[in-house]
PDB file of all heavy atoms in Angstrom:
ATOM      1  N   ALA A   1     -16.721  -0.815  -3.740  1.00  0.00           N
ATOM      2  CA  ALA A   1     -17.557   0.022  -4.602  1.00  0.00           C
ATOM      3  C   ALA A   1     -17.437  -0.471  -6.037  1.00  0.00           C
ATOM      4  O   ALA A   1     -16.339  -0.784  -6.511  1.00  0.00           O
ATOM      5  CB  ALA A   1     -17.120   1.481  -4.510  1.00  0.00           C
ATOM      6  N   ASN A   2     -18.570  -0.555  -6.703  1.00  0.00           N
ATOM      7  CA  ASN A   2     -18.664  -1.029  -8.084  1.00  0.00           C
ATOM      8  C   ASN A   2     -17.994  -2.392  -8.264  1.00  0.00           C
ATOM      9  O   ASN A   2     -17.024  -2.539  -9.016  1.00  0.00           O
ATOM     10  CB  ASN A   2     -18.078   0.003  -9.056  1.00  0.00           C
ATOM     11  CG  ASN A   2     -18.864   1.304  -9.039  1.00  0.00           C
ATOM     12  OD1 ASN A   2     -20.034   1.319  -8.693  1.00  0.00           O
ATOM     13  ND2 ASN A   2     -18.222   2.385  -9.402  1.00  0.00           N
ATOM     14  N   PRO A   3     -18.512  -3.425  -7.558  1.00  0.00           N
ATOM     15  CA  PRO A   3     -17.919  -4.763  -7.699  1.00  0.00           C
ATOM     16  C   PRO A   3     -18.058  -5.276  -9.131  1.00  0.00           C
ATOM     17  O   PRO A   3     -19.011  -4.936  -9.829  1.00  0.00           O
ATOM     18  CB  PRO A   3     -18.732  -5.607  -6.720  1.00  0.00           C
ATOM     19  CG  PRO A   3     -20.014  -4.879  -6.532  1.00  0.00           C
ATOM     20  CD  PRO A   3     -19.698  -3.419  -6.704  1.00  0.00           C
ATOM     21  N   LYS A   4     -17.085  -6.094  -9.545  1.00  0.00           N
ATOM     22  CA  LYS A   4     -17.111  -6.654 -10.905  1.00  0.00           C
ATOM     23  C   LYS A   4     -18.275  -7.628 -11.076  1.00  0.00           C
ATOM     24  O   LYS A   4     -18.926  -7.652 -12.108  1.00  0.00           O
ATOM     25  CB  LYS A   4     -15.788  -7.346 -11.213  1.00  0.00           C
ATOM     26  CG  LYS A   4     -14.618  -6.383 -11.341  1.00  0.00           C
ATOM     27  CD  LYS A   4     -13.437  -7.052 -12.003  1.00  0.00           C
ATOM     28  CE  LYS A   4     -12.168  -6.258 -12.055  1.00  0.00           C
ATOM     29  NZ  LYS A   4     -12.211  -4.863 -12.245  1.00  0.00           N
ATOM     30  N   ALA A   5     -18.536  -8.453 -10.066  1.00  0.00           N
ATOM     31  CA  ALA A   5     -19.661  -9.393 -10.106  1.00  0.00           C
ATOM     32  C   ALA A   5     -20.851  -8.785  -9.368  1.00  0.00           C
ATOM     33  O   ALA A   5     -20.678  -8.024  -8.421  1.00  0.00           O
ATOM     34  CB  ALA A   5     -19.258 -10.709  -9.459  1.00  0.00           C
ATOM     35  N   LYS A   6     -22.062  -9.136  -9.814  1.00  0.00           N
ATOM     36  CA  LYS A   6     -23.274  -8.646  -9.154  1.00  0.00           C
ATOM     37  C   LYS A   6     -23.367  -9.268  -7.765  1.00  0.00           C
ATOM     38  O   LYS A   6     -23.194 -10.470  -7.603  1.00  0.00           O
ATOM     39  CB  LYS A   6     -24.484  -9.022 -10.006  1.00  0.00           C
ATOM     40  CG  LYS A   6     -25.806  -8.489  -9.501  1.00  0.00           C
ATOM     41  CD  LYS A   6     -26.902  -8.799 -10.503  1.00  0.00           C
ATOM     42  CE  LYS A   6     -28.274  -8.523  -9.999  1.00  0.00           C
ATOM     43  NZ  LYS A   6     -28.551  -7.177  -9.583  1.00  0.00           N
ATOM     44  N   LEU A   7     -23.625  -8.426  -6.765  1.00  0.00           N
ATOM     45  CA  LEU A   7     -23.762  -8.897  -5.390  1.00  0.00           C
ATOM     46  C   LEU A   7     -25.179  -8.655  -4.915  1.00  0.00           C
ATOM     47  O   LEU A   7     -25.864  -7.749  -5.399  1.00  0.00           O
ATOM     48  CB  LEU A   7     -22.793  -8.147  -4.461  1.00  0.00           C
ATOM     49  CG  LEU A   7     -21.305  -8.292  -4.759  1.00  0.00           C
ATOM     50  CD1 LEU A   7     -20.501  -7.429  -3.800  1.00  0.00           C
ATOM     51  CD2 LEU A   7     -20.869  -9.743  -4.676  1.00  0.00           C
ATOM     52  N   LYS A   8     -25.603  -9.462  -3.941  1.00  0.00           N
ATOM     53  CA  LYS A   8     -26.883  -9.199  -3.273  1.00  0.00           C
ATOM     54  C   LYS A   8     -26.750  -9.606  -1.815  1.00  0.00           C
ATOM     55  O   LYS A   8     -25.913 -10.448  -1.461  1.00  0.00           O
ATOM     56  CB  LYS A   8     -28.039  -9.906  -3.971  1.00  0.00           C
ATOM     57  CG  LYS A   8     -28.048 -11.405  -3.874  1.00  0.00           C
ATOM     58  CD  LYS A   8     -29.261 -11.958  -4.601  1.00  0.00           C
ATOM     59  CE  LYS A   8     -29.446 -13.437  -4.442  1.00  0.00           C
ATOM     60  NZ  LYS A   8     -28.296 -14.273  -4.686  1.00  0.00           N
ATOM     61  N   GLU A   9     -27.575  -8.991  -0.980  1.00  0.00           N
ATOM     62  CA  GLU A   9     -27.544  -9.285   0.457  1.00  0.00           C
ATOM     63  C   GLU A   9     -27.680 -10.779   0.689  1.00  0.00           C
ATOM     64  O   GLU A   9     -28.514 -11.443   0.066  1.00  0.00           O
ATOM     65  CB  GLU A   9     -28.688  -8.547   1.155  1.00  0.00           C
ATOM     66  CG  GLU A   9     -28.755  -8.813   2.641  1.00  0.00           C
ATOM     67  CD  GLU A   9     -29.903  -8.100   3.337  1.00  0.00           C
ATOM     68  OE1 GLU A   9     -30.544  -7.227   2.728  1.00  0.00           O
ATOM     69  OE2 GLU A   9     -30.141  -8.422   4.500  1.00  0.00           O
ATOM     70  N   GLY A  10     -26.827 -11.304   1.575  1.00  0.00           N
ATOM     71  CA  GLY A  10     -26.894 -12.711   1.919  1.00  0.00           C
ATOM     72  C   GLY A  10     -25.988 -13.607   1.093  1.00  0.00           C
ATOM     73  O   GLY A  10     -25.812 -14.775   1.422  1.00  0.00           O
ATOM     74  N   ASP A  11     -25.418 -13.074  -0.008  1.00  0.00           N
ATOM     75  CA  ASP A  11     -24.467 -13.867  -0.777  1.00  0.00           C
ATOM     76  C   ASP A  11     -23.323 -14.297   0.138  1.00  0.00           C
ATOM     77  O   ASP A  11     -22.875 -13.526   0.987  1.00  0.00           O
ATOM     78  CB  ASP A  11     -23.866 -13.062  -1.942  1.00  0.00           C
ATOM     79  CG  ASP A  11     -24.797 -12.944  -3.142  1.00  0.00           C
ATOM     80  OD1 ASP A  11     -25.850 -13.609  -3.164  1.00  0.00           O
ATOM     81  OD2 ASP A  11     -24.450 -12.174  -4.062  1.00  0.00           O
ATOM     82  N   ILE A  12     -22.831 -15.509  -0.066  1.00  0.00           N
ATOM     83  CA  ILE A  12     -21.673 -16.017   0.670  1.00  0.00           C
ATOM     84  C   ILE A  12     -20.555 -16.222  -0.349  1.00  0.00           C
ATOM     85  O   ILE A  12     -20.707 -17.017  -1.287  1.00  0.00           O
ATOM     86  CB  ILE A  12     -22.000 -17.328   1.405  1.00  0.00           C
ATOM     87  CG1 ILE A  12     -23.172 -17.120   2.354  1.00  0.00           C
ATOM     88  CG2 ILE A  12     -20.764 -17.838   2.156  1.00  0.00           C
ATOM     89  CD1 ILE A  12     -23.706 -18.398   2.968  1.00  0.00           C
ATOM     90  N   LEU A  13     -19.471 -15.487  -0.180  1.00  0.00           N
ATOM     91  CA  LEU A  13     -18.354 -15.521  -1.110  1.00  0.00           C
ATOM     92  C   LEU A  13     -17.197 -16.309  -0.498  1.00  0.00           C
ATOM     93  O   LEU A  13     -17.137 -16.499   0.713  1.00  0.00           O
ATOM     94  CB  LEU A  13     -17.894 -14.093  -1.431  1.00  0.00           C
ATOM     95  CG  LEU A  13     -19.003 -13.093  -1.826  1.00  0.00           C
ATOM     96  CD1 LEU A  13     -18.419 -11.699  -1.967  1.00  0.00           C
ATOM     97  CD2 LEU A  13     -19.703 -13.538  -3.093  1.00  0.00           C
ATOM     98  N   LYS A  14     -16.252 -16.715  -1.328  1.00  0.00           N
ATOM     99  CA  LYS A  14     -15.076 -17.447  -0.858  1.00  0.00           C
ATOM    100  C   LYS A  14     -13.860 -16.534  -0.695  1.00  0.00           C
ATOM    101  O   LYS A  14     -12.817 -16.981  -0.218  1.00  0.00           O
ATOM    102  CB  LYS A  14     -14.748 -18.606  -1.807  1.00  0.00           C
ATOM    103  CG  LYS A  14     -15.780 -19.714  -1.740  1.00  0.00           C
ATOM    104  CD  LYS A  14     -15.863 -20.279  -0.331  1.00  0.00           C
ATOM    105  CE  LYS A  14     -16.966 -21.302  -0.170  1.00  0.00           C
ATOM    106  NZ  LYS A  14     -17.207 -21.623   1.235  1.00  0.00           N
ATOM    107  N   GLU A  15     -13.987 -15.268  -1.093  1.00  0.00           N
ATOM    108  CA  GLU A  15     -12.901 -14.287  -0.951  1.00  0.00           C
ATOM    109  C   GLU A  15     -13.497 -12.895  -1.081  1.00  0.00           C
ATOM    110  O   GLU A  15     -14.647 -12.740  -1.455  1.00  0.00           O
ATOM    111  CB  GLU A  15     -11.812 -14.520  -2.001  1.00  0.00           C
ATOM    112  CG  GLU A  15     -12.323 -14.382  -3.425  1.00  0.00           C
ATOM    113  CD  GLU A  15     -11.308 -14.824  -4.460  1.00  0.00           C
ATOM    114  OE1 GLU A  15     -10.212 -15.270  -4.087  1.00  0.00           O
ATOM    115  OE2 GLU A  15     -11.615 -14.713  -5.657  1.00  0.00           O
ATOM    116  N   TRP A  16     -12.663 -11.884  -0.764  1.00  0.00           N
ATOM    117  CA  TRP A  16     -13.110 -10.502  -0.965  1.00  0.00           C
ATOM    118  C   TRP A  16     -13.433 -10.330  -2.444  1.00  0.00           C
ATOM    119  O   TRP A  16     -12.674 -10.794  -3.305  1.00  0.00           O
ATOM    120  CB  TRP A  16     -12.025  -9.510  -0.573  1.00  0.00           C
ATOM    121  CG  TRP A  16     -11.584  -9.555   0.855  1.00  0.00           C
ATOM    122  CD1 TRP A  16     -10.348  -9.902   1.314  1.00  0.00           C
ATOM    123  CD2 TRP A  16     -12.352  -9.223   2.019  1.00  0.00           C
ATOM    124  NE1 TRP A  16     -10.316  -9.814   2.688  1.00  0.00           N
ATOM    125  CE2 TRP A  16     -11.527  -9.398   3.143  1.00  0.00           C
ATOM    126  CE3 TRP A  16     -13.670  -8.800   2.215  1.00  0.00           C
ATOM    127  CZ2 TRP A  16     -11.964  -9.158   4.445  1.00  0.00           C
ATOM    128  CZ3 TRP A  16     -14.107  -8.563   3.517  1.00  0.00           C
ATOM    129  CH2 TRP A  16     -13.269  -8.742   4.615  1.00  0.00           C
ATOM    130  N   PRO A  17     -14.531  -9.650  -2.785  1.00  0.00           N
ATOM    131  CA  PRO A  17     -14.879  -9.503  -4.201  1.00  0.00           C
ATOM    132  C   PRO A  17     -13.964  -8.519  -4.928  1.00  0.00           C
ATOM    133  O   PRO A  17     -13.459  -7.571  -4.333  1.00  0.00           O
ATOM    134  CB  PRO A  17     -16.315  -8.981  -4.146  1.00  0.00           C
ATOM    135  CG  PRO A  17     -16.434  -8.302  -2.830  1.00  0.00           C
ATOM    136  CD  PRO A  17     -15.524  -9.054  -1.898  1.00  0.00           C
ATOM    137  N   GLU A  18     -13.764  -8.780  -6.219  1.00  0.00           N
ATOM    138  CA  GLU A  18     -13.070  -7.827  -7.087  1.00  0.00           C
ATOM    139  C   GLU A  18     -13.976  -6.607  -7.240  1.00  0.00           C
ATOM    140  O   GLU A  18     -15.190  -6.752  -7.390  1.00  0.00           O
ATOM    141  CB  GLU A  18     -12.834  -8.452  -8.465  1.00  0.00           C
ATOM    142  CG  GLU A  18     -11.939  -9.660  -8.442  1.00  0.00           C
ATOM    143  CD  GLU A  18     -10.481  -9.299  -8.618  1.00  0.00           C
ATOM    144  OE1 GLU A  18     -10.191  -8.285  -9.269  1.00  0.00           O
ATOM    145  OE2 GLU A  18      -9.634 -10.035  -8.086  1.00  0.00           O
ATOM    146  N   ALA A  19     -13.379  -5.410  -7.200  1.00  0.00           N
ATOM    147  CA  ALA A  19     -14.187  -4.199  -7.302  1.00  0.00           C
ATOM    148  C   ALA A  19     -13.320  -3.043  -7.791  1.00  0.00           C
ATOM    149  O   ALA A  19     -12.090  -3.089  -7.689  1.00  0.00           O
ATOM    150  CB  ALA A  19     -14.794  -3.846  -5.940  1.00  0.00           C
ATOM    151  N   GLN A  20     -14.000  -2.009  -8.294  1.00  0.00           N
ATOM    152  CA  GLN A  20     -13.283  -0.819  -8.751  1.00  0.00           C
ATOM    153  C   GLN A  20     -12.520  -0.177  -7.595  1.00  0.00           C
ATOM    154  O   GLN A  20     -11.392   0.255  -7.754  1.00  0.00           O
ATOM    155  CB  GLN A  20     -14.284   0.169  -9.366  1.00  0.00           C
ATOM    156  CG  GLN A  20     -13.634   1.383  -9.981  1.00  0.00           C
ATOM    157  CD  GLN A  20     -14.640   2.291 -10.683  1.00  0.00           C
ATOM    158  OE1 GLN A  20     -15.854   2.075 -10.597  1.00  0.00           O
ATOM    159  NE2 GLN A  20     -14.135   3.288 -11.364  1.00  0.00           N
ATOM    160  N   TRP A  21     -13.176  -0.108  -6.414  1.00  0.00           N
ATOM    161  CA  TRP A  21     -12.538   0.439  -5.217  1.00  0.00           C
ATOM    162  C   TRP A  21     -12.794  -0.497  -4.055  1.00  0.00           C
ATOM    163  O   TRP A  21     -13.864  -1.092  -3.945  1.00  0.00           O
ATOM    164  CB  TRP A  21     -13.108   1.817  -4.866  1.00  0.00           C
ATOM    165  CG  TRP A  21     -12.821   2.875  -5.861  1.00  0.00           C
ATOM    166  CD1 TRP A  21     -11.596   3.392  -6.191  1.00  0.00           C
ATOM    167  CD2 TRP A  21     -13.765   3.566  -6.670  1.00  0.00           C
ATOM    168  NE1 TRP A  21     -11.730   4.348  -7.158  1.00  0.00           N
ATOM    169  CE2 TRP A  21     -13.058   4.489  -7.467  1.00  0.00           C
ATOM    170  CE3 TRP A  21     -15.152   3.493  -6.810  1.00  0.00           C
ATOM    171  CZ2 TRP A  21     -13.677   5.329  -8.378  1.00  0.00           C
ATOM    172  CZ3 TRP A  21     -15.769   4.334  -7.709  1.00  0.00           C
ATOM    173  CH2 TRP A  21     -15.027   5.232  -8.478  1.00  0.00           C
ATOM    174  N   ARG A  22     -11.804  -0.590  -3.168  1.00  0.00           N
ATOM    175  CA  ARG A  22     -11.949  -1.387  -1.949  1.00  0.00           C
ATOM    176  C   ARG A  22     -11.364  -0.599  -0.789  1.00  0.00           C
ATOM    177  O   ARG A  22     -10.318   0.014  -0.919  1.00  0.00           O
ATOM    178  CB  ARG A  22     -11.218  -2.726  -2.082  1.00  0.00           C
ATOM    179  CG  ARG A  22     -11.817  -3.561  -3.166  1.00  0.00           C
ATOM    180  CD  ARG A  22     -11.260  -4.906  -3.482  1.00  0.00           C
ATOM    181  NE  ARG A  22     -10.138  -5.444  -2.779  1.00  0.00           N
ATOM    182  CZ  ARG A  22      -9.794  -6.709  -2.825  1.00  0.00           C
ATOM    183  NH1 ARG A  22     -10.494  -7.570  -3.528  1.00  0.00           N
ATOM    184  NH2 ARG A  22      -8.741  -7.154  -2.182  1.00  0.00           N
ATOM    185  N   SER A  23     -12.057  -0.657   0.336  1.00  0.00           N
ATOM    186  CA  SER A  23     -11.551   0.016   1.534  1.00  0.00           C
ATOM    187  C   SER A  23     -10.450  -0.828   2.165  1.00  0.00           C
ATOM    188  O   SER A  23     -10.242  -1.993   1.784  1.00  0.00           O
ATOM    189  CB  SER A  23     -12.681   0.201   2.561  1.00  0.00           C
ATOM    190  OG  SER A  23     -13.019  -1.050   3.145  1.00  0.00           O
ATOM    191  N   GLN A  24      -9.803  -0.261   3.159  1.00  0.00           N
ATOM    192  CA  GLN A  24      -8.913  -1.071   3.976  1.00  0.00           C
ATOM    193  C   GLN A  24      -9.775  -2.040   4.779  1.00  0.00           C
ATOM    194  O   GLN A  24     -10.945  -1.759   5.051  1.00  0.00           O
ATOM    195  CB  GLN A  24      -8.123  -0.186   4.940  1.00  0.00           C
ATOM    196  CG  GLN A  24      -7.094   0.689   4.259  1.00  0.00           C
ATOM    197  CD  GLN A  24      -6.305   1.458   5.284  1.00  0.00           C
ATOM    198  OE1 GLN A  24      -6.845   2.168   6.117  1.00  0.00           O
ATOM    199  NE2 GLN A  24      -4.984   1.320   5.227  1.00  0.00           N
ATOM    200  N   VAL A  25      -9.199  -3.153   5.154  1.00  0.00           N
ATOM    201  CA  VAL A  25      -9.891  -4.126   6.004  1.00  0.00           C
ATOM    202  C   VAL A  25      -9.729  -3.670   7.452  1.00  0.00           C
ATOM    203  O   VAL A  25      -8.634  -3.324   7.881  1.00  0.00           O
ATOM    204  CB  VAL A  25      -9.301  -5.535   5.819  1.00  0.00           C
ATOM    205  CG1 VAL A  25      -9.930  -6.514   6.808  1.00  0.00           C
ATOM    206  CG2 VAL A  25      -9.482  -5.998   4.386  1.00  0.00           C
ATOM    207  N   ILE A  26     -10.841  -3.647   8.178  1.00  0.00           N
ATOM    208  CA  ILE A  26     -10.759  -3.391   9.612  1.00  0.00           C
ATOM    209  C   ILE A  26     -11.156  -4.673  10.338  1.00  0.00           C
ATOM    210  O   ILE A  26     -11.897  -5.494   9.809  1.00  0.00           O
ATOM    211  CB  ILE A  26     -11.620  -2.196  10.083  1.00  0.00           C
ATOM    212  CG1 ILE A  26     -13.105  -2.467   9.847  1.00  0.00           C
ATOM    213  CG2 ILE A  26     -11.174  -0.913   9.441  1.00  0.00           C
ATOM    214  CD1 ILE A  26     -14.006  -1.530  10.605  1.00  0.00           C
TER     215      ILE A  26
END
């Protein structure tokens, strides 16, 4: 929730994004 960098559908990242809140990984 509220990622630091702007995201859009289809983006391919190299790691979990930095964000104000992150859920647990399932």
Side-chain angles (χ1 to χ4, degrees):
N2 296 336
K4 291 195 186 324
K6 184 174 170 59
L7 299 177
K8 69 179 186 311
E9 179 181 349
D11 282 352
I12 303 171
L13 311 174
K14 290 300 175 192
E15 61 189 2
W16 299 115
E18 297 270 331
Q20 185 175 7
W21 294 294
R22 296 180 0 165
S23 72
Q24 290 184 305
V25 174
I26 63 165

